[in-house]
Amino acid sequence: MISFHNIRKYHSFLHLLSFKRLQKHLPWLQAITVFFDKHLEFLHSLNLNKYIKRLDRYIIKKFIGTYIFSILLIIAIAIVFDFNENLSKFTQYHAPLHAIIFDYYANFIPYYSNLFSPLFVFIAVIFFTSKLAGNSEIISMLAAGVSFRRLMRPYMISCVLISALSFYLSAYVIPHGTVIRQNFESLYRNNRKLTSADNVQLQVGTGIIAYIQHYDDRSKRGYGFSLDKFQEKKLISHMTATEISYDTISESKYHWTVRNWKIRQLKGLREHITSGGEKDTLIQMEPTDLVYSKGQQETFTSPQLKDYISKQIDRGSGNVVQYQVEYHKRIAASFASFILTIIGVSLSSRKRKGGMGLYLGIGMGLSFGYILLQTVSSTFAINAGAPPMLAAWMPNILFAFIAYFCYRQAPN
């Protein structure tokens, strides 16, 4: 048995190597280390030996080991194909080796590993459970009085660990890496990001409408700006400026500077006009509200997504569905491991002739079916007006019925 003392000893040994150097370049790796640092002492205080027996440790070790091995194997193959496909573009745009490794592939690995995590979980469960069944180990466990329900305990414990880490990465870590990866693609893969917008009009507060004729996101400047304030459906103030720029060094949000400005204040039949050359002001909008690029919702952490959705709904904006789908999908995807694990164990725990090939094929088909359904349901929410929460949870709901049917048919 590996004690917590040995785990911490091994953890410290990793820090003494080049691990700290890697953390500087790989923010997701540093986040995983922080995640385990926070929970290691908590797990030690629980005295898990009371709850996790030798059988549980055996299956958890098999599960996690096979899961990690499948990720490394498939992602390594994906990197080889991706590098071969993009080699000409990297050469054409003179991408430096350091940027290719640490800006692109260092963020490519966690993004796609987490995206296809349900597939890796299903493959891992089918693979090692079929092997246990083929060696008559599951038959021996059941013959020794272990119920099928009790047999599921170590699988569920493993799913808790995988799901918690998957949600933590997708909600807080991977969005930062996605920004770096997308910036690299715009520079060295000719995937041009949308950096400007024309004729943008949005509600920035109750009865306050902002309009920008042209906005350049690279310089954070806009031209042809106006700000109208209404009270009881009557215009009470009209502000115009030839130029507006966002204060990127301010510690707080919503700081803008307007130049060549003029304000007309309307009080009944009277009108008061003030003007000036330059003025700092607070306007409740940000550059992300003005320019939308494809996949922008993937660059926000979950708290940022929640704030952005709330802010856009208050403004009456209709361009929030993809953000709502992304927010709910991150939560729903973390529960996919439980559903697919139940299906995988139920299918592969029975010893049959022909080996694991059939079950592996079924597992691959169901996993790709889950991912396809996830994509289709998201499209229905964005283009057909389906509720975003229902669209995000629909694959889990449908596959939960399949999991229940398979569990009921599993050997007792």
Side-chain angles (χ1 to χ4, degrees):
M1 172 186 173
I2 301 176
S3 66
F4 278 92
H5 174 72
N6 291 334
I7 292 177
R8 288 197 63 86
K9 194 174 179 183
Y10 177 71
H11 187 73
S12 301
F13 176 72
L14 287 177
H15 276 282
L16 292 175
L17 297 175
S18 59
F19 198 65
K20 286 185 177 179
R21 297 180 182 176
L22 289 175
Q23 285 180 322
K24 294 180 180 179
H25 300 286
L26 309 180
W28 57 270
L29 186 59
Q30 184 178 7
I32 292 176
T33 306
V34 172
F35 177 83
F36 282 111
D37 282 340
K38 289 181 179 178
H39 295 82
L40 200 58
E41 292 298 333
F42 173 72
L43 293 175
H44 179 62
S45 64
L46 290 179
N47 193 9
L48 296 180
N49 289 329
K50 292 182 179 180
Y51 311 101
I52 301 178
K53 305 302 181 182
R54 182 176 297 179
L55 173 63
D56 300 321
R57 291 194 295 271
Y58 176 72
I59 294 180
I60 290 172
K61 181 180 177 181
K62 290 281 187 180
F63 192 161
I64 301 298
T66 309
Y67 172 75
I68 295 175
F69 176 78
S70 63
I71 288 178
L72 294 177
L73 181 62
I74 297 177
I75 290 298
I77 297 173
I79 289 176
V80 171
F81 280 99
D82 185 82
F83 182 76
N84 183 62
E85 180 181 354
N86 295 303
L87 181 60
S88 60
K89 290 185 178 180
F90 293 159
T91 306
Q92 179 183 355
Y93 293 100
H94 306 288
L97 181 61
H98 181 275
I100 294 174
I101 296 175
F102 292 105
D103 291 348
Y104 183 66
Y105 284 111
N107 296 298
F108 175 96
I109 293 172
Y111 176 81
Y112 285 100
S113 297
N114 197 66
L115 180 64
F116 295 107
S117 181
L119 173 63
F120 298 139
V121 168
F122 211 174
I123 291 176
V125 170
I126 291 287
F127 185 81
F128 87 88
T129 306
S130 297
K131 193 172 182 180
L132 292 179
N135 294 334
S136 301
E137 294 180 68
I138 292 183
I139 295 176
S140 301
M141 297 174 192
L142 298 176
V146 178
S147 65
F148 189 77
R149 182 177 179 181
R150 171 63 181 83
L151 184 64
M152 292 294 298
R153 181 196 293 180
Y155 287 93
M156 295 297 102
I157 294 174
S158 302
C159 287
V160 169
L161 298 175
I162 293 173
S163 298
L165 181 60
S166 177
F167 175 75
Y168 180 71
L169 290 174
S170 63
Y172 298 99
V173 179
I174 292 179
H176 298 294
T178 302
V179 174
I180 299 173
R181 182 172 55 83
Q182 289 183 354
N183 290 335
F184 175 90
E185 291 177 348
S186 65
L187 288 174
Y188 303 113
R189 287 185 57 187
N190 200 27
N191 291 347
R192 299 300 181 188
K193 294 173 64 177
L194 189 63
T195 58
S196 63
D198 295 315
N199 300 320
V200 180
Q201 180 174 327
L202 71 158
Q203 181 175 323
V204 296
T206 304
I208 304 175
I209 307 297
Y211 172 80
I212 299 179
Q213 185 176 2
H214 177 78
Y215 177 76
D216 185 0
D217 192 51
R218 289 172 295 187
S219 61
K220 308 298 181 186
R221 292 177 181 271
Y223 305 93
F225 173 75
S226 67
L227 187 70
D228 295 329
K229 295 182 180 180
F230 294 86
Q231 189 174 20
E232 296 179 355
K233 298 182 180 180
K234 292 183 179 180
L235 181 65
I236 61 172
S237 175
H238 176 69
M239 175 183 181
T240 59
T242 58
E243 183 180 322
I244 182 172
S245 60
Y246 186 69
D247 188 355
T248 57
I249 61 175
S250 175
E251 295 181 357
S252 57
K253 300 188 294 184
Y254 310 134
H255 280 258
W256 294 85
T257 300
V258 293
R259 296 177 179 87
N260 298 324
W261 58 273
K262 180 188 292 185
I263 299 178
R264 297 171 56 199
Q265 292 180 336
L266 306 174
K267 296 180 180 180
L269 298 177
R270 296 183 178 181
E271 180 178 349
H272 179 68
I273 300 177
T274 57
S275 61
E278 185 173 312
K279 179 181 180 180
D280 294 331
T281 183
L282 290 175
I283 304 174
Q284 292 187 359
M285 64 180 184
E286 296 180 271
T288 53
D289 301 327
L290 304 175
V291 178
Y292 171 77
S293 58
K294 184 179 180 181
Q296 180 175 314
Q297 66 274 15
E298 297 177 355
T299 63
F300 292 164
T301 63
S302 289
Q304 290 173 340
L305 267 177
K306 188 176 181 180
D307 293 341
Y308 183 85
I309 291 169
S310 177
K311 184 172 63 176
Q312 293 298 98
I313 291 176
D314 292 340
R315 291 174 173 172
S317 174
N319 189 30
V320 295
V321 177
Q322 58 265 41
Y323 295 89
Q324 292 174 320
V325 171
E326 178 68 20
Y327 179 79
H328 293 296
K329 188 169 68 174
R330 292 177 182 180
I331 302 173
S334 62
F335 286 90
S337 300
F338 295 94
I339 298 172
L340 296 179
T341 295
I342 294 173
I343 297 174
V345 176
S346 302
L347 288 176
S348 58
S349 60
R350 194 188 300 265
K351 184 177 181 180
R352 294 176 179 175
K353 294 181 179 179
M356 69 179 74
L358 176 62
Y359 303 112
L360 194 59
I362 295 175
M364 292 284 287
L366 287 174
S367 298
F368 282 115
Y370 176 86
I371 296 172
L372 178 62
L373 183 60
Q374 196 176 50
T375 304
V376 171
S377 62
S378 300
T379 304
F380 273 118
I382 295 173
N383 298 326
M389 189 175 193
L390 179 61
W393 282 91
M394 182 59 67
N396 285 1
I397 295 173
L398 294 180
F399 274 75
F401 287 106
I402 299 175
Y404 177 76
F405 175 78
C406 293
Y407 180 78
R408 296 288 295 178
Q409 298 298 319
N412 299 316

